[in-house]
């Protein structure tokens, strides 16, 4: 559908030009297109609420009709697709390092972290999805290392969500809030215990939830909003908020190279600015995300006893080095989990 | 004197243009194969070794990579062995037995090639997933299929079923049952007949089909990404491991591990040819 819409837009634009040759050629066309490259979990929030709301707001402001090209895939995959030539005007990804990947490729040239809310548009927390009524009595991270528990979490090499999951467990343990000592070896042991119970490592957070919905596993480590969306769609599951977990912060950035090539900078920047409005923040909230704007925050999401951010763990650069580098804590825990089999 | 000359000239022209056409065709096909296969493979070699041989070696010998390669090669060997035998037997049934519904069976054999392998994986999960009656019963007896190694082999068997059948079938069609009858008449038992009359002409086809099964198995992605669980050291196969390396920002490591798969596939070609030659000489 989208390519034909694009073609139609092109035709409309062309016919408009030929019909009124006296019109200045610099006038923006009546129909404009914005390409959004996003990660998977806010699909419903963007597709059903935020994009239509922005189109209406933009129409009211400028009289132009906005059409969208939307792409949703794992955050890391999306970042790589954009680096390799997918011409998204705006990237809405799961985590800072994935935007940084695009930045390092030279496609983002402005300081995107200097924007409203430091470039962050939505938040969530890492939680544990469980079967309805929590039959296995899972209360906290340590329970996921029990012998009788099967766990789902995606592959950290392909999924931003999986990185948040591991960072949440690691942070909880090293902060002494996961029931054990705070040293690195104990944190690694907890991680190894949980990884040893992982039954399926899917490619992305959404695929992992789909596997959970088919009945595999006792618990799935995931974004809180994934569980809320699943429940909104009538899927039977509950979730447990661990005593200590990480605040997920999802960044958005305009991709300079692409908006300059498409002539869509004003539109893309208008869109990113719109994401900070109460209207967009309320839409994120409606789809289970925790907004960055507290005024739009729903009150029924459970509070977290010890909520920490990636900055509390030393920032992404440090987390990637200690946790996710080759032979980092994650790889060591995985090897330990294997040895324990 | 003058009469043959005009007729000779056109003949030579025809010969020349035939030659030119042949050259063009050869060049065209050569270019086609070069662009389609050789260039991507050269790119793979280049990218695999771009960070230096030491980095490539480190990528290949990383414990998780070794485990993934072992798993892919091991399950590929099992699939090749089973489908080598089963495929030959199915071809035999299709050619020699006048079964009702033979055509349906023949059509079924090709079906795995027609559906996306990811769908094959999802179908296997729908049948053998832990929540299904069959899968649940199997899991209770510690025989889990889904998200375990048996599931990997099952998916490979499904995806590669047609290869040996379709390689062996035409050879069986050409074999004259009269030869076997003659051998029997001359007093050869079933085993001798099989060993000396049937096996030699069949073996090259069986070997070629089996090598195809193996090559396809070590490269299989879609069905295994769904059915295998993808746990490093346990159920993570090499192609899915490679995907992780690509997406995790290590394209060099991905290319290096891919080179190992490529080398395995290349090494098998001479093996298949040697088997064919051995069979041929035994026949003579």
């Amino acid at each position: 559908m989208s390519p034909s819409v694009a073609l139609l837009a092109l035709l409309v634009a062309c016919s408009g030009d030929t019909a009124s040759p006296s019109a200045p050629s610099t006038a923006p066309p009546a129909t404009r297109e914005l390409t959004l490259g996003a990660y998977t979990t806010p699909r419903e929030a963007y597709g059903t609420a935020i994009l239509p709301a922005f189109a209406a707001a933009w129409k009211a402001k400028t009289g132009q009709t906005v059409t969208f090209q939307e792409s949703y895939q794992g955050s890391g995959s999306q970042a790589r697709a954009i680096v390799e030539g997918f011409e998204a005007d705006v990237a809405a990804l799961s985590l800072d390092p994935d935007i940084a990947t695009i930045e390092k490729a030279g496609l983002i040239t402005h300081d995107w972290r200097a924007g409203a809310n430091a470039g962050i548009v939505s938040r969530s927390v890492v939680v544990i999805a469980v079967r309805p009524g929590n039959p296995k009595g899972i209360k906290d991270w340590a329970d996921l290392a029990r012998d009788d528990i099967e766990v789902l979490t995606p592959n950290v090499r392909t999924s931003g969500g999986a990185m948040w999951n591991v960072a949440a467990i690691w942070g909880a343990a090293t902060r002494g809030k996961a029931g054990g000592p705070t040293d690195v070896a104990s944190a690694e042991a907890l991680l190894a215990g949980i990884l040893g119970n992982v039954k399926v490592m899917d490619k992305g957070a959404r695929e992992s939830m789909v596997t959970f919905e088919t009945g595999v596993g006792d618990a799935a480590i995931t974004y809180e909003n994934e569980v809320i969306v699943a429940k909104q769609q009538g899927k039977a599951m509950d979730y447990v908020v661990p005593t200590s977990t990480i605040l997920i912060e999802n960044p958005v950035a305009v991709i300079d190279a692409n908006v300059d090539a498409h002539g869509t900078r004003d539109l893309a920047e208008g869109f990113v600015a719109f994401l900070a409005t109460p209207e967009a923040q309320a839409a994120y909230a409606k789809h289970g995300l925790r907004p960055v704007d507290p005024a739009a925050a729903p009150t029924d999401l459970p509070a977290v006893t010890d909520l920490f951010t990636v900055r509390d763990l030393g920032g992404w650069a440090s987390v990637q080095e200690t946790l996710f580098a080759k032979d980092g804590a994650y790889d060591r825990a995985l090897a330990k989990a294997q040895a324990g089999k | 004197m003058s009469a043959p000359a005009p007729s000779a000239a056109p003949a030579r022209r025809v010969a020349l243009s035939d030659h030119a056409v042949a050259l063009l065709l050869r060049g065209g096909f050569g270019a086609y194969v070069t662009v389609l296969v050789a260039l991507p493979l050269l790119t793979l070699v280049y990218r695999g070794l771009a960070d230096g041989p030491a980095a490539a070696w480190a990528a290949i010998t990383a414990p998780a990579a070794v485990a993934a390669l072992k798993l892919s090669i091991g399950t590929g060997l099992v699939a090749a062995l089973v489908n080598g035998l089963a495929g030959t037997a199915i071809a035999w049934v299709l050619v020699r037995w006048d079964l009702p519904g033979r055509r349906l069976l023949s059509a079924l054999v090709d079906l795995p090639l027609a559906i996306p392998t990811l769908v094959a994986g999802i179908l296997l999960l729908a049948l053998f997933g832990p929540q299904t009656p069959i899968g649940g019963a199997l899991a209770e007896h510690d025989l889990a299929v889904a998200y375990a190694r048996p599931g990997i082999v099952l998916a490979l068997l499904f995806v590669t079923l047609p290869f040996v059948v379709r390689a062996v079938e035409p050879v069986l069609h050409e074999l004259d049952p009269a030869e076997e009858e003659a051998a029997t008449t001359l007093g050869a038992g079933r085993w001798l007949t099989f060993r000396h009359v049937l096996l030699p002409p069949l073996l090259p086809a069986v070997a070629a089909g089996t090598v195809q099964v193996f090559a396809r198995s070590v490269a299989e992605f879609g069905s295994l990404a769904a059915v295998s669980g993808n746990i490093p050291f346990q159920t993570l196969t090499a192609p899915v491991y490679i995907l992780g390396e690509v997406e995790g920002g290590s394209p060099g490591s991905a290319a290096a591990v891919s080179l190992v798969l490529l080398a395995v596939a290349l090494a098998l070609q001479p093996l298949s040819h040697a088997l064919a030659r051995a069979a041929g000489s035994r026949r003579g």
Side-chain angles (χ1 to χ4, degrees):
Chain A
M1 182 203 104
S2 301
S4 59
V5 167
L7 191 65
L8 197 65
L10 197 70
L11 287 174
V12 168
C14 291
S15 64
D17 278 351
T18 48
S20 52
S22 58
S25 60
T26 50
T31 298
R32 306 187 60 193
E33 186 179 85
L34 187 72
T35 305
L36 175 69
Y39 72 110
T40 51
T41 76
R43 183 182 200 130
E44 288 77 15
Y46 283 115
T48 66
I50 294 174
L51 298 185
F54 171 67
W58 189 260
K59 177 103 185 166
K61 191 177 151 199
T62 65
Q64 297 169 350
T65 303
V66 184
T67 61
F68 299 96
Q69 296 264 23
E70 303 160 56
S71 160
Y72 300 96
Q73 52 176 330
S75 188
S77 308
Q78 187 65 271
R80 219 183 54 262
I82 291 169
V83 167
E84 288 179 1
F86 168 54
E87 296 188 1
D89 296 308
V90 175
L93 301 182
S94 170
L95 65 171
D96 181 312
D98 288 333
I99 298 275
T101 299
I102 304 173
E103 195 176 17
K104 268 180 232 146
L107 301 177
I108 296 173
T109 50
H110 69 289
D111 182 8
W112 61 275
R113 290 184 190 86
N117 303 311
I120 302 300
V121 294
S122 61
R123 295 165 160 177
S124 191
V125 295
V126 174
V127 300
I128 305 167
V130 294
R131 297 295 166 198
N134 195 2
K136 295 262 177 141
I138 294 163
K139 292 187 191 69
D140 215 332
W141 295 122
D143 292 314
L144 297 185
R146 270 163 33 193
D147 286 343
D148 63 328
I149 302 288
E150 281 181 356
V151 180
L152 302 185
T153 184
N155 182 345
V156 297
R157 303 260 182 256
T158 51
S159 161
M163 292 172 77
W164 285 115
N165 295 350
V166 172
I169 297 166
W170 182 261
T174 52
R175 290 162 69 81
K177 308 281 182 177
T182 61
D183 61 295
V184 166
S186 305
E188 241 175 73
L190 175 67
L191 196 54
I194 295 174
L195 289 176
N197 284 342
V198 174
K199 179 88 171 162
V200 182
M201 280 190 186
D202 282 302
K203 191 168 175 283
R206 178 56 59 90
E207 290 96 324
S208 192
M209 285 312 283
V210 169
T211 303
F212 189 63
E213 284 161 18
T214 64
V216 179
D218 302 303
I221 312 174
T222 188
Y223 299 91
E224 179 183 49
N225 59 295
E226 275 290 307
V227 190
I228 294 174
V229 167
K231 283 168 73 105
Q232 283 172 350
Q233 292 172 345
K235 311 277 166 49
M237 63 178 79
D238 286 323
Y239 75 94
V240 172
V241 181
T243 309
S244 175
T245 192
I246 198 164
L247 180 69
I248 294 166
E249 297 172 294
N250 312 121
V252 165
V254 168
I255 301 168
D256 298 287
N258 293 340
V259 296
D260 288 343
H262 300 162
T264 47
R265 178 173 287 279
D266 60 325
L267 184 63
E269 285 176 350
F271 176 69
V272 171
F274 178 78
L275 297 179
T277 63
E279 191 181 2
Q281 289 292 305
Y284 284 123
K286 199 172 143 235
H287 290 88
L289 285 146
R290 297 189 179 212
V292 279
D293 177 4
T299 50
D300 58 341
L301 290 182
V304 182
T305 310
D306 177 51
L307 187 63
F308 58 92
T309 70
V310 77
R311 288 172 295 285
D312 294 320
L313 301 180
W316 271 115
S318 160
V319 166
Q320 282 188 304
E321 185 62 32
T322 53
L323 266 180
F324 299 116
K326 291 258 161 170
D327 303 317
Y330 177 81
D331 278 0
R332 289 197 301 272
L334 203 57
K336 202 179 284 177
Q338 166 63 14
K341 291 258 155 192
Chain B
M1 281 290 279
S2 63
S7 72
R12 208 178 301 131
R13 261 207 308 276
V14 168
L16 270 176
S17 69
D18 271 358
H19 188 61
V21 166
L23 261 181
L24 261 174
L25 277 179
R26 239 180 271 173
F29 290 139
Y32 186 74
V33 173
T34 305
V35 170
L36 210 59
V37 182
L39 277 183
L41 288 185
L42 278 176
T43 310
L44 178 64
V45 173
Y46 172 76
R47 286 187 73 161
L49 299 173
D51 304 331
W57 183 247
I60 293 167
T61 52
V66 172
L69 284 166
K70 273 190 190 164
L71 179 64
S72 278
I73 292 170
T75 51
L77 283 176
V78 174
L81 198 70
V82 174
N83 261 354
L85 293 173
T88 309
I90 292 169
W92 180 265
V93 168
L94 286 177
V95 174
R96 289 293 176 90
W97 289 12
D98 201 11
L99 285 178
R102 194 166 62 169
R103 285 196 166 173
L104 185 70
L105 183 65
S106 180
L108 274 179
V109 166
D110 280 334
L111 220 56
L113 286 185
I115 64 173
T117 60
L118 175 67
V119 175
I122 291 168
L123 291 179
L124 286 177
L125 281 184
L127 249 182
F128 295 106
Q131 306 311 311
T132 62
I134 303 176
L138 285 171
E140 274 187 13
H141 295 87
D142 274 335
L143 287 168
V145 171
Y147 309 120
R149 290 180 182 188
I152 297 177
V153 173
L154 205 61
L156 294 178
L157 290 178
F158 178 90
V159 169
T160 61
L161 175 67
F163 294 136
V164 174
V165 179
R166 294 307 178 217
V168 171
E169 231 183 342
V171 182
L172 272 177
H173 269 298
E174 279 181 17
L175 282 184
D176 187 355
E179 275 188 45
E180 294 150 50
E181 282 159 23
T184 316
T185 314
L186 292 173
R190 284 191 160 197
W191 166 246
L192 274 181
T193 307
F194 173 75
R195 168 77 179 72
H196 290 288
V197 179
L198 276 177
L199 201 57
L202 279 184
L203 205 56
V206 174
T210 305
V211 166
Q212 243 186 326
V213 169
F214 179 77
R216 185 73 187 72
S217 293
V218 294
E220 173 56 17
F221 180 83
S223 64
L224 299 190
V227 90
S228 82
N230 305 318
I231 311 287
F233 300 103
Q234 292 173 48
T235 52
L236 182 69
T237 61
V240 186
Y241 174 84
I242 289 168
L243 170 83
E245 291 302 292
V246 170
E247 304 227 329
S250 314
S253 159
V257 178
S258 306
L259 278 181
V260 177
L261 291 184
L262 183 67
V264 170
L266 283 179
L268 277 172
Q269 293 303 326
L271 185 74
S272 153
H273 290 313
L275 268 173
R277 267 200 309 277
S281 66
R282 221 172 354 202
R283 195 185 191 187

